[in-house]
Amino acid sequence: MSDDKKDTKSESADIPEEPAGDIESTTVKSTLPSLYRNYISFAGTAISAASSMCIVFLFMLEISSGHEQPYLGIFTFIIFPAILIFGLFLIVSGMMIERRRRRSRAPTAIKPFPVLDLNNARQRRTLLVLLVSGFLFLFISAFGTYRVYEFSESVTFCGQTCHVMNPEFTAYNASPHAKVTCVECHVGGGADYYVKAKLNGVHQLYAVAFRTYKKPIPTPVENLRPANETCGACHWSEKFYGEQLRVFDHYGYDEGNSLNQTRMLIKVGGGNPKTGQASGIHWHMNLDNEI
């Protein structure tokens, strides 16, 4: 029994003891909480999660509705995504503030820059999650950005969402241009005029909200895009229309309301592409013809 005790003492004496300072530093590093654990990042997470759920719910509602809702699109693709980005900004800001606070208290506890060690399984998993999440976020952001552009160019946005234009929108639906989108005439093609139109729209929204616009509104408007770049895309003097058949229905006052049709062949004419001469009701537009 005494021999066993001697052997145990000798074995324990051979094991080198680790310095107390190294054990303490290892314990501090292992028990140091994540930079994410701060109230600002927690608030950003709550905001991001709530806005994400709202976006998904409204997006599914838009798909199932079958037609565009005036205010559904602006919340789904503009307002709630902006709140989501704000929440993500709070998460990152909270982590940066927490890192700066810890470095000010113990500069040696946290290194100036994050250390990426791919031999560490935990860091590999974290990096993989960040890469997949970043790819999904960029993909969803690209889709959302295109959807915002598409929605801001729609008739629903122009006539029912941001612009309170009930009389004009009603007249538009009953006009010959009902199948032509608003932006085709009021904005036209090209990125430069798209940016100008949106900036002008923001200025008009501010003017309407704070009532800073002039009364009465001065006319004529001097900064409109030239008509040959908007209206001229469909209407030009050389376009040949030919003859158009119009049928006018009239109903009698008898018991059966008898149908009586008047068929009229309208010689619209236009510029003949073969001869270059105007014809039909546009004949008088040719300067060579005297009325």
Side-chain angles (χ1 to χ4, degrees):
M1 186 131 181
S2 60
D3 294 338
D4 294 339
K5 289 183 179 179
K6 290 181 180 179
D7 294 340
T8 306
K9 289 182 179 179
S10 61
E11 289 178 0
S12 61
D14 293 339
I15 299 175
E17 297 183 357
E18 295 183 1
D22 294 342
I23 297 175
E24 185 179 357
S25 62
T26 305
T27 306
V28 171
K29 289 182 180 180
S30 61
T31 59
L32 194 64
S34 170
L35 295 176
Y36 172 75
R37 296 188 178 184
N38 61 85
Y39 291 111
I40 298 178
S41 296
F42 288 163
T45 303
I47 294 174
S48 301
S51 59
S52 299
M53 289 188 292
C54 291
I55 292 172
V56 172
F57 173 74
L58 293 178
F59 181 72
M60 298 301 295
L61 185 63
E62 183 188 24
I63 294 176
S64 60
S65 63
H67 61 279
E68 289 188 347
Q69 300 289 338
Y71 295 99
L72 187 62
I74 196 171
F75 276 97
T76 307
F77 302 108
I78 297 178
I79 295 179
F80 282 124
I83 297 175
L84 172 61
I85 294 175
F86 176 72
L88 297 176
F89 173 76
L90 285 181
I91 294 174
V92 177
S93 299
M95 295 176 68
M96 293 178 65
I97 294 173
E98 179 66 15
R99 180 182 178 84
R100 183 178 298 178
R101 184 184 68 81
R102 293 183 187 181
R103 276 191 56 80
S104 63
R105 291 186 177 183
T108 58
I110 301 178
K111 296 183 178 181
F113 299 98
V115 178
L116 179 61
D117 184 9
L118 296 180
N119 295 313
N120 189 324
R122 182 179 179 181
Q123 291 194 15
R124 287 200 306 270
R125 289 193 298 267
T126 303
L127 180 62
L128 181 62
V129 170
L130 290 176
L131 290 177
V132 174
S133 302
F135 174 78
L136 291 176
F137 180 75
L138 291 177
F139 175 78
I140 296 173
S141 299
F143 173 78
T145 302
Y146 174 75
R147 190 65 183 89
V148 169
Y149 165 78
E150 187 180 34
F151 178 70
S152 64
E153 295 281 283
S154 65
V155 175
T156 303
F157 177 81
C158 296
Q160 296 176 282
T161 305
C162 290
H163 303 176
V164 185
M165 302 176 64
N166 291 330
E168 291 80 4
F169 185 68
T170 302
Y172 160 79
N173 287 324
S175 70
H177 295 97
K179 294 183 179 181
V180 181
T181 59
C182 306
V183 294
E184 288 187 52
C185 297
H186 292 273
V187 179
D192 51 346
Y193 276 94
Y194 173 81
V195 174
K196 290 179 182 178
K198 298 310 173 185
L199 293 177
N200 187 35
V202 173
H203 177 263
Q204 291 181 10
L205 180 62
Y206 174 84
V208 172
F210 295 95
R211 298 183 180 275
T212 59
Y213 57 90
K214 297 181 180 179
K215 299 180 181 179
I217 297 176
T219 56
V221 181
E222 302 292 344
N223 59 348
L224 289 178
R225 190 171 185 176
N228 59 347
E229 297 181 10
T230 53
C231 304
C234 297
H235 305 278
W236 63 91
S237 58
E238 296 84 6
K239 186 171 183 178
F240 182 76
Y241 287 92
E243 299 173 345
Q244 304 292 323
L245 177 64
R246 292 291 181 265
V247 179
F248 301 93
D249 295 333
H250 304 280
Y251 297 91
Y253 293 98
D254 56 344
E255 184 177 356
N257 297 119
S258 301
L259 174 62
N260 182 22
Q261 291 184 333
T262 302
R263 299 173 181 268
M264 183 178 295
L265 188 63
I266 304 175
K267 297 184 177 182
V268 179
N272 192 322
K274 295 182 179 180
T275 62
Q277 297 178 353
S279 61
I281 61 173
H282 291 153
W283 177 81
H284 65 281
M285 298 299 295
N286 192 340
L287 297 179
D288 296 334
N289 299 324
E290 182 178 354
I291 308 302

